[in-house]
Amino acid sequence: MLEYPRELPIQPWNGPPPRASVRVPGSKSLTNRALIVAAMAEGPSTLTGALDSEDTRVMVEALRTLGVGVEHDAKSATIRIQGCNGRLPAREATLHVANSGTSLRFLTAMVATGVGTYHLDGTPRMRERPVADLLESLNGLGARATSDLGTGCPPVTVEARGLEGGFASIRGDVSSQYLSGLLMALPYARTPTTIEIQGLLVSKPYVAMTLAVMRDFGAKPSERKFRRFDVYPSRYQGRQYAVEPDASAASYFMALAAITGGTIVIEGLGTESIQGDVAFADILEHMGCTVAREPNRITVAGGPLRGVDVDMNAISDTVMTMAVVALFAEGFTRIRNVGHIRHKETDRIAAVASELRKLGATVDELPDGLVITPPEAGATGPAAIATYDDHRMAMSFALAGLKVPGVTILDPGCVAKTYPGFWEDLDALRSSSA
Ligand SMILES: O=C(O)C1=C[C@@H](OP(=O)(O)O)[C@@H](O)[C@H](O)C1
Ligand SMILES: C=C(OP(=O)(O)O)C(=O)O
């Protein structure tokens, strides 16, 4: 991995507004889904355009620990997986997933299809991120899964003897990753399974992505209004799979166009993308940007921005990007229905509120959102921005530094969770636009 300084002063964007094309690295969510499904599949798979970051490395390492053959060629963004055809080789394993929510939730469900004893653990923050509802559902399907410290969070132990199938209900309002993990594991249950969602389902587009990847590898799950899901016993088939660029990562460059008044073309993401976060461009359009959408490309051109009132439940990884764009809009912005982001890398509502205030904004922190009123005379520095070990705090607030002199990002290395080359890509954009 790359080396990072302890803090990074951000130089304001002094040159002409950028006119550039950007292709961000592969999607974390699609890489980690494809890895899980390919690992369980019959036959080999090759993932191209795969993300190489902390979250995908911990997933690759965990699969190797489970005895699945995985070769990762980071230079060519290719990962080769020898599928285990639904029979996990390891009977006993301890998996360390750092602070990767997808890895923890997806692997917990996957190991329940095995026969043996599996332990999963992560960073201190991972030990505060809930998983109890997933454990409960797995227990109803034939596993013995426990939160070792009785906290409802990792570390987790799964004593597995394969999943029986039948009926499961799962809570949808804390994290959609429980449902995604269950869905991907269930083709390997002994009998068909019906899953019903209790309460609201957050982050719906991620569940659609899960179904899409399962279908791409040959399973045939069905769904009714995203309230009920049916999965039948089957086998995934190994294949070549092209991972789309990461739409959440692309939000930083869309936002850069919005606040600098430049034009940025996002390559490899467009109307054909299966990632919900491409809809970040729709919000920018409401704020005053011009957006052109093609099947594999989105062009965002900045303009005078006005505040918006927006429900971001479905695309909550872009809340922090939006919060920083709001600093440079006319009038206030209200972000609604994202209470679940308090359970992510950090309490993201609280973190955004504290750091925006350092730049002069007035921020009302709501239980499930934020109201951001930009300072009348414009945002001002200097400000040392704390990042809370949250990659998205670092990448979002770097954008503020392009407009406000004196912004320093503390612990810029936290971007390695999903976008290790972010600072280099930002510098490259700057040099190509000078
Ligand atoms: O399934 C996924 O790939 C993800 C689902 C979302 O989490 P929640 O469902 O917990 O909101 C998202 O925030 C995360 O970055 C990735
Ligand atoms: C919430 C995130 O990740 P995860 O839940 O996979 O740790 C994220 O990448 O913003």
Side-chain angles (χ1 to χ4, degrees):
M1 285 273 171
L2 301 166
E3 302 243 325
Y4 302 93
R6 282 163 56 99
E7 51 181 63
L8 186 65
I10 306 293
Q11 302 308 320
W13 190 281
N14 286 327
R19 298 182 66 83
S21 281
V22 172
R23 190 181 178 94
V24 297
S27 154
K28 168 199 80 170
S29 293
L30 291 174
T31 302
N32 274 0
R33 279 168 174 71
L35 280 167
I36 286 275
V37 165
M40 291 199 280
E42 181 174 8
S45 292
T46 303
L47 313 186
T48 57
L51 176 64
D52 178 27
S53 77
E54 188 178 295
D55 276 14
T56 58
R57 286 189 176 198
V58 294
M59 177 66 95
V60 164
E61 259 330 297
L63 294 175
R64 287 183 181 142
T65 307
L66 290 169
V68 177
V70 187
E71 278 170 50
H72 186 180
D73 180 6
K75 273 214 177 84
S76 65
T78 301
I79 307 180
R80 292 195 175 75
I81 305 107
Q82 285 303 326
C84 71
N85 197 16
R87 285 186 291 271
L88 280 184
R91 294 291 169 117
E92 173 115 41
T94 299
L95 312 178
H96 295 284
V97 299
N99 191 13
S100 169
T102 53
S103 302
L104 190 281
R105 277 76 176 247
F106 299 171
L107 286 162
T108 297
M110 181 198 190
V111 298
T113 67
V115 177
T117 303
Y118 307 97
H119 305 281
L120 298 98
D121 201 358
T123 59
R125 175 59 183 170
M126 190 78 244
R127 286 182 167 209
E128 295 172 350
R129 297 183 67 188
V131 71
D133 298 307
L134 173 60
L135 305 183
E136 205 179 298
S137 298
L138 291 170
N139 289 339
L141 293 168
R144 262 183 51 202
T146 47
S147 157
D148 298 343
L149 305 176
T151 53
C153 300
V156 162
T157 297
V158 183
E159 285 174 54
R161 48 212 143 119
L163 288 174
E164 219 31 74
F167 179 81
S169 76
I170 184 108
R171 235 175 107 172
D173 59 346
V174 178
S175 169
S176 68
Q177 295 173 5
Y178 308 155
L179 173 60
S180 287
L182 263 188
L183 285 167
M184 286 189 282
L186 281 172
Y188 293 89
R190 286 186 267 275
T191 60
T193 310
T194 297
I195 309 176
E196 260 180 26
I197 307 303
Q198 288 167 27
L200 295 171
L201 176 60
V202 297
S203 299
K204 251 189 219 167
Y206 290 96
V207 177
M209 283 160 65
T210 302
L211 297 174
V213 174
M214 290 172 72
R215 289 178 182 134
D216 284 338
F217 282 77
K220 294 189 173 60
S222 64
E223 143 298 295
R224 263 189 252 162
K225 297 185 176 169
F226 279 66
R227 306 285 324 154
R228 177 186 155 142
F229 298 81
D230 287 288
V231 187
Y232 309 94
S234 66
R235 297 256 167 269
Y236 294 124
Q237 299 302 317
R239 56 166 288 175
Q240 177 127 2
Y241 183 86
V243 176
E244 294 180 4
D246 192 290
S248 324
S251 75
Y252 308 113
F253 295 100
M254 294 183 196
L256 188 149
I259 63 173
T260 59
T263 300
I264 301 273
V265 181
I266 307 290
E267 296 288 355
L269 286 171
T271 52
E272 282 179 357
S273 170
I274 60 169
Q275 295 170 76
D277 280 7
V278 291
F280 184 73
D282 302 355
I283 308 179
L284 293 180
E285 198 171 32
H286 282 295
M287 296 181 87
C289 293
T290 304
V291 177
R293 298 169 186 81
E294 296 168 64
N296 280 305
R297 188 176 291 146
I298 302 174
T299 305
V300 178
L305 300 169
R306 51 184 176 270
V308 277
D309 184 337
V310 61
D311 180 336
M312 295 190 77
N313 183 283
I315 60 166
S316 67
D317 283 359
T318 62
V319 163
M320 286 151 288
T321 331
M322 178 49 54
V324 170
V325 172
L327 258 186
F328 306 106
E330 176 80 37
F332 72 89
T333 288
R334 176 169 184 162
I335 299 173
R336 294 176 188 268
N337 204 11
V338 293
H340 59 296
I341 71 174
R342 293 191 185 273
H343 301 295
K344 306 227 178 201
E345 281 76 340
T346 184
D347 175 342
R348 286 177 164 172
I349 293 180
V352 162
S354 301
E355 301 315 302
L356 282 180
R357 286 181 189 127
K358 289 184 183 166
L359 295 162
T362 303
V363 185
D364 298 324
E365 191 187 325
L366 312 172
D368 68 341
L370 297 147
V371 180
I372 299 158
T373 308
E376 256 168 48
T380 47
I385 301 295
T387 50
Y388 307 80
D389 213 6
D390 184 345
H391 51 142
R392 302 202 189 283
M393 286 297 291
M395 295 188 277
S396 300
F397 279 83
L399 297 171
L402 300 178
K403 297 276 287 183
V404 180
V407 170
T408 296
I409 302 294
L410 304 180
D411 185 24
C414 63
V415 299
K417 185 173 191 286
T418 57
Y419 197 164
F422 175 75
W423 302 114
E424 287 172 4
D425 288 0
L426 188 59
D427 279 349
L429 180 66
R430 207 194 279 272
S431 329
S432 71
S433 304

